Amino acid sequence: MKPEQTTTLRFLGKGGTTGDGCPSVYVTDHGTFLIQGWVTGQAETVEIPHLLLGFVGNDRFIGARLKDTGRGTFLLTGRPVTDAGTLAQLDLYEDETAVEVPVCERTFYGVAAAG
């Protein structure tokens, strides 16, 4: 089995708690988003505040389904981050973990169904 390689991260933004290790979003050196969020009991799912999406940029978006919790947060499912070197770059609290999700480019700004 091939060992995981440490990912280089570029910080995009954080928010949602009063501490310094807030849920955060990063872009990786291999073109994905790394999302730091609250633990949900499922390794592949984190909870993030709505405001975190504002840091991904105008012409790109998170390429994963978000489920609105109805309380100002989303549940987001991705690939759990387990590499110790990558996790060491994060300021994780006990109730936080990280997942990796695709970066998608926005190519359409119109209505969903013209008619």
Side-chain angles (χ1 to χ4, degrees), residues 1-7 79-87 100:
M1 184 173 182
K2 183 179 166 185
E4 288 188 77
Q5 291 189 338
T6 298
T7 299
R79 185 186 66 79
V81 176
T82 58
D83 173 66
T86 302
L87 291 171
E100 199 170 348

Side-chain angles (χ1 to χ4, degrees), residues 6-106:
T6 298
T7 299
T8 301
L9 303 175
R10 183 170 54 89
F11 176 75
L12 297 177
K14 67 180 175 179
T17 65
T18 56
D20 289 335
C22 300
S24 303
V25 61
Y26 301 82
V27 67
T28 71
D29 58 353
H30 50 271
T32 60
F33 288 122
L34 185 142
I35 308 293
Q36 174 183 336
W38 296 297
V39 171
T40 63
Q42 298 175 347
E44 69 280 357
T45 302
V46 295
E47 187 171 351
I48 61 170
H50 286 173
L51 66 86
L52 205 59
L53 301 183
F55 296 110
V56 301
N58 292 334
D59 292 325
R60 57 189 180 180
F61 61 96
I62 291 175
R65 188 171 299 260
L66 298 162
K67 180 179 179 186
D68 196 323
T69 65
R71 59 178 185 267
T73 62
F74 291 113
L75 296 177
L76 171 66
T77 300
R79 185 186 66 79
V81 176
T82 58
D83 173 66
T86 302
L87 291 171
Q89 297 176 66
L90 308 175
D91 183 17
L92 287 172
Y93 283 87
E94 280 184 24
D95 63 344
E96 293 178 335
T97 191
V99 297
E100 199 170 348
V101 295
V103 172
C104 291
E105 298 295 321
R106 188 175 314 279

